[in-house]
Amino acid sequence: MTDRLAELSAAGVAVWLDDLSRARITSGGLDALRREQHVVGVTTNPTIFAKALSEAADYDAQLRELKAAGADVEAVIRAFTTDDVRNACDIMRPAYDASGGVDGRVSIEVDPRLAFDTEKTIAEAEELWRLVDRENLFIKIPATLPGLAAISEVLGKGISVNVTLIFSLERYDAVMAAFLSGLELARANGHDLSKIGSVASFFVSRFDSEVDKRLDKIGTDEAKALRGKAAIANAQLAYQHYEQLFSTVQWDELAAAGAHPQRPLWASTSTKNPDYRDVMYVEQLVAPGTVNTMPEPTIHAYADHGETTPNIAQASYAQAQVVMDSLAALGIDYDDVVAVLEREGVEKFEASWVELLATVKAQLEAV
C-alpha cells in the first residue's frame, strides 16, 4: 500500500498538524500521528484553543485548582494553553531531535489584540517562551507592519518564531528581511544560531476565497476560468522569492554560522470550496524545505488519495505569473485583496480570543 505522506515528506514537505487539544495529548492521538502519519510539528491559533476549551471537560480539574488559587480569566487561559503546548512539545521532541532541531516544533500565538503593538508583542513573546520553557517551541507573531520589528527583536533574543498571517509577496519579502535582521542581532548578542528556528506562514486558501468572490462579481467566462487558481499561484511565487533570498551572500554567511533557513509554511490549506479537490493546496505546493500544516481531515485525505509531484511549485513559476497577470488585467486589485485578508485575519483571531475569554469566564463562574 502506498504511503502517500511518506512520499510527501520525501519530497521535502514537512507534515504538521494544524490543531491541538488536551484530548489529543492525553489520549495518545497526537503521538500516534507522529509515529504513524509522519506528522512532525503542530500549529495552534486562538480559534483552535477557543474550540478546544469550549467542547471538552478535559480542563475541569485544572480549572477548579486555578479558581481555588484565585486565578483570573487571563491567568486560566495562559495556564491552559501553555500547559497544552508544553506537553505537545514533549510529544514532538523525538521529531525535533531526529531533524537536528528543524522539525518537532509546536507553535503558540501571542495575544492577537497586540498585533499592532510592537513592544507589547515582544514582552508577550518573552513571557510565553519563559512559561513553556521548551527549546522546540515557536512563538507566533503576526506579520503586521508593527509585527515586523517585533519579529527581529524576538529572534535577536534567541527565541524561535513562527511568523503568521502572511498574504502578500511584498510582506513576505519584508518578513524574510526581518528574519535575517533578527539572526544578525542574535549573533551579535552571542546566541547559538543553530538553536533558533523560524517559519513564515503564508496563508493559501483564504486568498482564493477573497479572489473568487471578486471573480464571481465580474462574471465573465474569462473570470470564471480563473476561479481557484489565485492562491496556488500566489504561494508558488512566494516560494520563488524564498529561493532568491536564501541564495544571497548575506544568507550564506549566516548559514556558515549555523543558521537554519526560515522555511515557508503553507497555512490555511484545507479546501474551503467543496467544488475544489480537497488536497489541491498540498499537491500544488510541493517543494523542498517547506512545511504544510493541515487539519487532521486533510492529512487523512492526502494519505488516502494525495498525489506527490516533486518540485511542482518550482516548475510552475511562469504559469503562476500568467495567472497573477490575468487577474490584474481583469481589474483584481492585488494590494486591496491582501489588505482585506490581513485585516480580516487579525479580526478573526481577535474574535476567537474574545470567545475564549467568554468561555473561560463562564466556566470559572460555574465552578
Side-chain angles (χ1 to χ4, degrees):
M1 184 175 177
T2 301
D3 189 336
R4 299 173 188 275
L5 291 169
E7 291 178 347
L8 185 63
S9 301
V13 181
V15 178
W16 287 15
L17 173 69
D18 190 31
D19 193 29
L20 186 63
S21 66
R22 189 151 297 181
R24 282 194 182 279
I25 294 166
T26 58
S27 69
L30 178 60
D31 193 43
L33 287 171
R34 179 188 63 80
R35 290 182 288 101
E36 301 167 9
Q37 298 291 324
H38 307 279
V39 170
V40 292
V42 178
T43 49
T44 70
N45 59 49
T47 303
I48 285 170
F49 279 127
K51 182 174 184 292
L53 269 66
S54 66
E55 293 183 351
D58 304 84
Y59 302 89
D60 289 354
Q62 187 180 11
L63 181 70
R64 287 192 292 272
E65 292 174 4
L66 289 166
K67 180 166 184 177
D72 62 11
V73 173
E74 299 272 359
V76 170
I77 291 173
R78 181 65 57 88
F80 284 168
T81 56
T82 56
D83 283 0
D84 281 358
V85 168
R86 185 184 307 106
N87 289 326
C89 283
D90 291 342
I91 291 168
M92 284 291 147
R93 183 65 193 233
Y96 178 78
D97 293 336
S99 63
V102 175
D103 281 308
R105 300 279 184 165
V106 183
S107 299
I108 188 169
E109 190 152 350
V110 297
D111 185 333
R113 296 171 297 178
L114 306 178
F116 298 98
D117 190 318
T118 302
E119 294 305 319
K120 287 184 179 179
T121 293
I122 295 169
E124 170 107 340
E126 290 184 280
E127 177 68 1
L128 289 171
W129 184 257
R130 182 189 66 80
L131 285 171
V132 176
D133 191 28
R134 294 293 185 272
E135 64 182 64
N136 55 328
L137 177 69
F138 271 148
I139 304 298
K140 286 180 81 173
I141 298 175
T144 57
L145 288 174
L148 295 174
I151 290 159
S152 294
E153 287 293 323
V154 170
L155 286 165
K157 296 175 184 294
I159 297 172
S160 297
V161 174
N162 174 346
V163 184
T164 188
L165 290 177
I166 307 170
F167 297 98
S168 79
L169 299 174
E170 180 182 8
R171 188 61 56 82
Y172 182 41
D173 288 341
V175 165
M176 289 189 288
F179 168 71
L180 295 180
S181 296
L183 288 190
E184 297 282 11
L185 184 58
R187 181 166 60 171
N189 289 337
H191 292 291
D192 180 356
L193 298 190
S194 69
K195 296 292 187 182
I196 303 173
S198 186
V199 291
S201 296
F202 200 92
F203 279 56
V204 185
S205 67
R206 293 189 194 183
F207 197 86
D208 267 344
S209 298
E210 180 63 27
V211 170
D212 283 359
K213 281 193 301 186
R214 301 182 186 214
L215 291 171
D216 289 342
K217 195 170 290 187
I218 294 170
T220 63
D221 290 342
E222 186 180 6
K224 292 175 184 176
L226 288 169
R227 295 180 81 255
K229 295 183 177 180
I232 289 170
N234 194 40
Q236 288 171 341
L237 292 175
Y239 190 79
Q240 184 180 36
H241 284 226
Y242 160 79
E243 286 195 308
Q244 291 167 349
L245 186 134
F246 285 96
S247 60
T248 60
V249 172
Q250 183 186 11
W251 170 247
D252 290 343
E253 291 175 351
L254 288 166
H260 298 294
Q262 182 189 56
R263 291 182 295 171
L265 180 151
W266 311 126
S268 183
T269 54
S270 61
T271 305
K272 306 297 188 288
N273 189 327
D275 294 335
Y276 298 160
R277 183 167 168 81
D278 58 355
V279 290
M280 62 185 273
Y281 298 124
V282 185
E283 291 176 328
Q284 298 300 314
L285 296 176
V286 176
T290 59
V291 178
N292 199 306
T293 188
M294 315 172 219
E296 189 172 358
T298 304
I299 291 173
H300 292 316
Y302 202 92
D304 179 69
H305 54 265
E307 296 295 332
T308 299
T309 305
N311 307 314
I312 190 171
Q314 296 142 296
S316 305
Y317 294 155
Q319 181 182 347
Q321 190 59 57
V322 168
V323 169
M324 303 309 285
D325 291 343
S326 299
L327 290 168
L330 285 173
I332 302 294
D333 187 335
Y334 181 88
D335 291 340
D336 185 64
V337 168
V338 296
V340 167
L341 288 170
E342 179 179 294
R343 184 178 67 251
E344 289 182 350
V346 173
E347 288 173 352
K348 285 175 182 175
F349 283 164
E350 284 182 346
S352 294
W353 195 262
V354 170
E355 178 189 342
L356 188 57
L357 289 167
T359 297
V360 172
K361 183 174 183 290
Q363 290 172 340
L364 271 174
E365 292 171 350
V367 171

